[in-house]
Amino acid sequence: MTQTTTPVRPKRAAKPNGQWKIDGPAPLNATEEMKASDNGLNVRARIEEIYAVNGFDSIDPEDLHGRFRWWGLYTQRAQGIPGGKTATLSPEELEDRYFMLRVRIDGGALSTEQLRVIGQISTEFARDTADLTDRQNVQLHWVDIVDVPEIWRRLESVGLHTTEACGDVPRVILGSPVAGIAKDEIIDPTPVIAEISRRYIGNPEFSNLPRKYKTAISGHPNQDVVHEINDFALIGIVHPELGPGYDLWVGGGLSSNPRLGERLGVFVTQDEAADVWEGVTSIFRDYGYRRLRNRARLKFLLADWGTEKFRRILEEEYLGRALPSIDPGPQPTEPGDHSGVHEQKDGKFFVGLTPDVGRVSGTKLTALADLLESHGSYRLRTTPHQKILALDLDESQIQDFVGNARALGLEAFPGLLKRSAIACTGIEFCKLAIVDTKNTTIDAVKEIESRLADHEGKLPKALSLHVNGCPNSCARVQTADLGFKGQLITNDAGEQVSGFQVHLGGTLAGFENGEASLGRTVRGLKVEADKLPDYVERVVKNYSAHADEGESFAAWAHRVEEDLLK
């Protein structure tokens, strides 16, 4: 009897990931084809010479929906389109004929002259809109393409720009808002931020990355730049033999596939920090996955390689030398938002001011510039927490300054939730959003703080509340004590309404919790937007009643049974 065998099929070859060093540079999707056909930086000339002259209808669609981002421009959402249409309409159907323009502010450092120019641009060209982002930028809305060259001229006349504020490029460099002024600073990152910006921002060698690339650098012990969710981060540390320098982190990012960054376990000196940035960024450019956009962030490459391989490739292929090893540094002991009044190392003071979830205006920014100068201050900083720091104030002026800032809606001593509340742009202007965020959060925070007014002594010293309009997590919902991710939900009456998926107990640079961790989700736990205050009041009071002595909200939320979180 003859026995037959089933033929063995040859193993299907794996599809290429679009890694330039492995698969070659041939584009494998439409976005890569667009970038290969013309560098995004080149669109500026067309904006100035063609589109600003002939108006919105003259814009090439490939530039409009692609390369404009390399200069900080996105079409904003057309007014009146409900969240239910976000996933069903095309970008062309969702977009308005106006733009969001993102002003890039590396390290968050501004002069009052620069702030006044931003304020005047907002008033004249952006219907008095201005939002402080959680990446230290300022975003303007209602910008007409015909006004963009004049806006650029004014920004650049005071040393500001929008270069690579969006797109598949090195985005704004987050920097410690107290760089160079903090009494307890380990190392001042200002020279590193300036050198990276000078050498690499607007450099065609790094203007075609697989996707966005985020950098954060701080020399402050409070680790105040949310480093765990950036692609590249340097955090101040003291080497036992080499002195102050940086601890290198790579591969962090949130969106719909959150992953915290990891230490490579290497020590980086001030002098070599820009070279190390170039090495890590070059790894992303050369080895990053380009075929699938949803796997094109550095975090996916790190997940596949691991830190040991990543370090070896960095040292052997890109630096040509080994970096010294170093153990982890101490955890922060205070929150990194710098709210309130603090003494600088030169004896003057800085004041951390909180607007409502980053929402300001050109009028308000101009008035703040005037207020600062009237108190002898000419410097300020934006922060990764949608705040503003006013620098260089004399102690005798603090009380008057704080009162006048409060009159502008900028609070030095905000309540528990207002201090930590962050909201993304939301459905008001964003084409990806499903629900309103800014007004929903502002109203909810006021209501919740009023309800919890008699409960203050039973609450933690920090409690973060972040609200996002879609799954992309621009407002970092997975890293908040109370994170709310916008979606449409069905209420008890069977109606589709604005609501949120809930994330609980997330934390970064956990001064209360030790290691950073992503928030916990409870299956089926969703909250209607208009019932947000009810939910927060309920869960916070459950925490107050059931937490162990000294237990943080994040630790409690990860520990308890789900019933206490509903």
Side-chain angles (χ1 to χ4, degrees), residues 43 47 274 332 343:
V43 80
I47 292 173
E343 188 174 4

Side-chain angles (χ1 to χ4, degrees), residues 53-70:
V53 175
N54 298 321
F56 186 89
D57 291 332
S58 68
I59 303 172
D60 185 304
E62 195 171 80
D63 284 343
L64 181 66
H65 300 119
R67 300 183 189 93
F68 268 41
R69 300 175 185 182
W70 272 244

Side-chain angles (χ1 to χ4, degrees), residues 13-58:
K15 287 186 177 180
N17 284 313
Q19 296 169 281
W20 280 1
K21 270 208 169 183
I22 296 174
D23 306 312
L28 297 180
N29 60 48
T31 299
E32 289 298 310
E33 289 174 359
M34 178 272 294
K35 293 190 292 181
S37 66
D38 186 30
N39 192 296
L41 294 172
N42 295 336
V43 80
R44 174 160 178 162
R46 293 193 287 277
I47 292 173
E48 293 177 320
E49 298 167 9
I50 301 173
Y51 306 144
V53 175
N54 298 321
F56 186 89
D57 291 332
S58 68

Side-chain angles (χ1 to χ4, degrees), residues 344-365:
Q344 300 175 183
K345 65 182 182 182
D346 62 1
K348 293 196 173 187
F349 288 79
F350 71 86
V351 179
L353 301 171
T354 301
D356 287 322
V357 293
R359 175 57 50 87
V360 284
S361 67
T363 301
K364 188 173 293 188
L365 296 179

Side-chain angles (χ1 to χ4, degrees), residues 383-456:
T383 85
H385 301 276
Q386 296 183 339
K387 300 183 189 303
I388 295 175
L389 305 191
L391 310 186
D392 306 330
L393 294 163
D394 290 332
E395 186 173 12
S396 61
Q397 298 177 313
I398 295 297
Q399 185 173 354
D400 183 71
F401 177 83
V402 166
N404 281 285
R406 181 176 293 127
L408 292 176
L410 301 170
E411 180 57 63
F413 302 103
L416 175 67
L417 289 174
K418 180 175 179 177
R419 172 175 177 170
S420 67
I422 290 177
C424 72
T425 300
I427 200 171
E428 183 179 10
F429 295 118
C430 179
K431 299 192 297 290
L432 299 177
I434 302 166
V435 302
D436 173 79
T437 54
K438 293 285 190 185
N439 291 326
T440 296
T441 307
I442 291 169
D443 293 343
V445 165
K446 289 178 181 176
E447 179 65 23
I448 296 162
E449 288 191 343
S450 174
R451 295 187 193 184
L452 295 176
D454 61 349
H455 218 70
E456 284 187 4

Side-chain angles (χ1 to χ4, degrees), residues 14 71 86 135 167 169 178 214 250 258 274 278 281 308 317 392 437 476 559:
W71 290 96
T86 298
R135 293 204 56 86
V169 293
V178 294
K214 297 182 176 181
V250 299
E278 179 180 344
T281 311
E308 184 177 341
E317 291 190 26
D392 306 330
T437 54
R476 312 195 297 250
R559 174 181 64 82

Side-chain angles (χ1 to χ4, degrees), residues 191-203:
V192 175
I193 295 171
E195 183 69 1
I196 292 172
S197 180
R198 183 187 68 80
R199 286 165 57 175
Y200 306 116
I201 304 310
N203 182 340

Side-chain angles (χ1 to χ4, degrees), residues 245-266:
Y246 299 99
D247 191 16
L248 174 59
W249 294 64
V250 299
L254 293 178
S255 192
S256 55
N257 290 287
R259 192 176 196 278
L260 295 177
E262 296 187 58
R263 299 178 62 250
L264 287 194
V266 298

